[in-house]
Amino acid sequence: MSTQQQQPEEPQSQEAPEDPEMRGAESPVDEKEKQGGDIDQQTTPEDELEGETVHIKVFRYDPEVEGKQEPRFDDFHVPFEKGMTVLDAVMYARDTYDSSLTFRHSCRQAVCGSDAFFVNGKQRLGCKTQIADLEQPIRIEPLPHQEVVKDLVVDMDHFYDQMHTVEPYFQDEDTPNPADLEEQRQSPENREKIKMSSRCIWCGACMSSCNIAAGDNDYLGPAAINKAYKFAMDDREGEEIKEHRLRILEQEHGVWRCQTQFSCTEVCPKDIPLTEHIQELKREAVKKNLKFW
Amino acid sequence: MSQSYNRGLIEDFGRWKEFSAGMWAWIFHKFTGWMLIGYLFTHIAVLSSSLTGPEAYTNTIGGLESLFIVRVLEVGLLAVAVFHILNGLRLLMVDLGVGLEAQDKSFYASLVLTAIITVASVPTFLDGVTL
Ligand code: SF4
Ligand code: FES
């Protein structure tokens, strides 16, 4: 759309025949962007970048190679392509310039959660972040507050430990006996309530962005609390299990450590309202203990 | 895993430029909170001069008010208190789950309101109290 708006301003009339072709090329990108969610109008920066190279600065650290143990930034210049993501850029750099460049990725469509990086000062999924949206040079670092194993790979053990602390699996008090197993129905309203919390892909971006989690290693962290929310709010689990879950959450390093900085909510690539969920669990914990109502 | 790299506190705090609204609100709230606690003690110290009699109290207050620096500090105190109150209300809303999407806007609004109230108070404070 903005290409068209720009046309009249540009003196070259040769541009006109190119227009339909360009728009044809744009439409799949637009699709992608809609899935991406947070980009509304991307034609202009993308057009500006056409045919250019993108300057990325990538954090490097290799404990096994003599002389490379001191962390540093390596510069790569990657040819830009329409719809290029940060992950595409680092993959190009690895495949073309330095095969030792190490990072995790798998699905390339914001589903597996393995490629969360610290890009231009913010935790983002490499595969979901459009190069055209970023200021250059693009600084790509491993997630903060986690130990770096190599290059962009961080040690996720602690994150997984915290996730497992909240017993992230469905628990049912009265599972019907296998002979007459039946569907366990959930009301549409209840499904709607936990819908957002069920989108977590365990990428760890939220935990990495949280100052409190950085200062308190025992804090469960936004992702684990959100995971607990998903189950605690699920009507099918029953009161007793919910109480048990709240007991885990209201301990010293549980929900009360959250200082509502909102950084987790801001970086979550799946747009989960993490702070909102944490606050709701705080209220639940208070209700459970006061029992006024 | 043979070895890993821990970026340490210094590098982590070096990220302050990347902090967002909510984090600044948190930092300012803690900071103003500590300032108010500090003020409370000096305040009690000044008030306690009344124990030795009304004369002493009047002299202390009068003496303090005659100092320009004290009047400037009072403007600062007002700013600190106003921000702490406004952000406190903002946090109350957050706790109740009201307007969570506007948490950054409400932080900026608290800052703007604090600035307006502080600036508006300058003439009064700097003139000093005419007894
Ligand atoms: S809550 Fe969001 S940011 Fe945190 S691990 Fe899940 S998907 Fe990632
Ligand atoms: S590669 Fe799977 S989330 Fe990015």
Side-chain angles (χ1 to χ4, degrees):
Chain A
M1 254 194 291
S2 43
T3 341
Q4 272 182 328
Q5 279 163 10
Q6 277 187 352
Q7 291 291 305
E9 288 162 32
E10 277 167 19
Q12 304 123 302
S13 53
Q14 300 104 296
E15 288 278 51
E18 268 180 26
D19 194 30
E21 190 189 312
M22 279 180 72
R23 291 185 48 189
E26 268 163 37
S27 46
V29 180
D30 281 349
E31 288 279 281
K32 227 189 203 171
E33 282 162 8
K34 261 174 229 150
Q35 281 171 10
D38 46 10
I39 312 146
D40 27 279
Q41 228 189 13
Q42 261 329 301
T43 14
T44 327
E46 293 233 341
D47 286 346
E48 274 168 15
L49 281 170
E50 256 326 310
E52 305 240 331
T53 56
V54 182
H55 182 186
I56 56 174
K57 289 175 99 60
V58 186
F59 179 95
R60 302 301 302 273
Y61 164 75
D62 192 340
E64 274 148 27
V65 181
E66 196 69 37
K68 288 193 172 176
Q69 283 138 346
E70 197 52 42
R72 63 180 195 284
F73 279 91
D74 277 359
D75 292 84
F76 297 102
H77 295 269
V78 178
F80 178 79
E81 269 174 50
K82 239 173 220 276
M84 190 177 212
T85 65
V86 168
L87 182 64
D88 293 333
V90 284
M91 283 170 79
Y92 187 95
R94 176 197 61 195
D95 297 345
T96 321
Y97 308 120
D98 184 352
S99 58
S100 72
L101 176 57
T102 310
F103 48 90
R104 293 191 184 105
H105 74 88
S106 170
C107 69
R108 304 177 62 182
Q109 50 181 340
V111 172
C112 70
S114 53
D115 66 336
F117 305 135
F118 194 58
V119 182
N120 279 4
K122 198 180 162 201
Q123 287 79 0
R124 317 178 204 236
L125 286 185
C127 61
K128 204 191 152 187
T129 309
Q130 293 286 316
I131 291 283
D133 286 344
L134 300 168
E135 240 174 70
Q136 289 191 48
I138 299 169
R139 205 160 42 98
I140 307 169
E141 294 168 76
L143 289 182
H145 304 321
Q146 275 135 309
E147 306 231 330
V148 184
V149 180
K150 188 182 177 189
D151 296 344
L152 299 176
V153 175
V154 291
D155 183 358
M156 298 283 284
D157 280 354
H158 179 63
F159 174 77
Y160 291 138
D161 286 348
Q162 297 305 71
M163 288 300 262
H164 290 298
T165 316
V166 299
E167 304 174 8
Y169 40 84
F170 188 70
Q171 297 174 39
D172 193 7
E173 285 150 356
D174 39 35
T175 308
N177 95 48
D180 40 43
L181 258 184
E182 44 178 301
E183 282 176 63
Q184 273 188 304
R185 302 246 172 122
Q186 183 183 28
S187 71
E189 296 76 37
N190 192 233
R191 165 66 199 151
E192 205 49 41
K193 184 168 180 62
I194 64 165
K195 185 174 89 180
M196 292 307 280
S197 62
S198 67
R199 295 170 64 171
C200 176
I201 54 173
W202 297 52
C203 68
C206 53
M207 187 83 152
S208 158
S209 77
C210 176
N211 274 8
I212 309 296
D216 174 7
N217 235 8
D218 293 328
Y219 175 38
L220 289 175
I225 297 177
N226 172 71
K227 193 48 82 182
Y229 176 97
K230 174 186 187 292
F231 292 104
M233 295 300 168
D234 191 324
D235 283 347
R236 294 167 298 177
E237 272 202 339
E239 274 309 306
E240 231 166 85
I241 305 280
K242 181 170 179 178
E243 292 234 340
H244 167 68
R245 291 197 182 279
L246 285 176
R247 265 197 298 280
I248 299 176
L249 289 169
E250 68 187 12
Q251 29 125 340
E252 194 189 338
H253 299 282
V255 285
W256 299 109
R257 293 295 292 149
C258 169
Q259 305 270 315
T260 60
Q261 294 183 342
F262 287 92
S263 43
C264 55
T265 310
E266 270 158 34
V267 300
C268 176
K270 302 309 260 183
D271 300 324
I272 304 172
L274 295 164
T275 313
E276 189 174 335
H277 288 170
I278 300 174
Q279 293 302 96
E280 196 173 339
L281 287 171
K282 283 181 188 170
R283 293 197 293 275
E284 286 292 314
V286 172
K287 273 193 222 167
K288 173 180 148 269
N289 290 321
L290 287 182
K291 287 262 167 35
F292 282 159
W293 46 85
Chain B
M1 198 194 315
S2 50
Q3 205 185 328
S4 63
Y5 172 58
N6 182 338
R7 279 161 288 186
L9 272 184
I10 305 281
E11 208 176 311
D12 283 344
F13 281 123
R15 304 198 183 286
W16 62 272
K17 275 180 271 170
E18 286 141 7
F19 284 3
S20 53
M23 291 233 226
W24 284 116
W26 179 74
I27 291 171
F28 287 178
H29 200 76
K30 298 279 147 171
F31 178 72
T32 51
W34 284 108
M35 300 277 280
L36 289 174
I37 289 180
Y39 166 73
L40 196 68
F41 286 105
T42 35
H43 182 62
I44 290 172
V46 170
L47 284 187
S48 66
S49 65
S50 67
L51 291 175
T52 34
E55 275 293 295
Y57 181 67
T58 313
N59 284 342
T60 316
I61 296 287
L64 282 173
E65 283 301 316
S66 66
L67 296 173
F68 181 67
I69 179 74
V70 171
R71 302 205 298 268
V72 172
L73 284 175
E74 273 172 344
V75 176
L77 175 69
L78 180 82
V80 161
V82 169
F83 175 79
H84 199 79
I85 291 168
L86 290 176
N87 196 52
L89 292 172
R90 173 180 166 272
L91 290 179
L92 186 67
M93 296 313 241
V94 168
D95 281 342
L96 295 174
V98 180
L100 290 169
E101 327 72 45
Q103 59 89 14
D104 46 349
K105 290 184 204 80
S106 56
F107 166 63
Y108 299 133
S110 324
L111 282 183
V112 170
L113 261 175
T114 307
I116 294 173
I117 294 176
T118 309
V119 169
S121 79
V122 167
T124 322
F125 273 118
L126 292 196
D127 272 359
V129 192
T130 37
L131 293 168

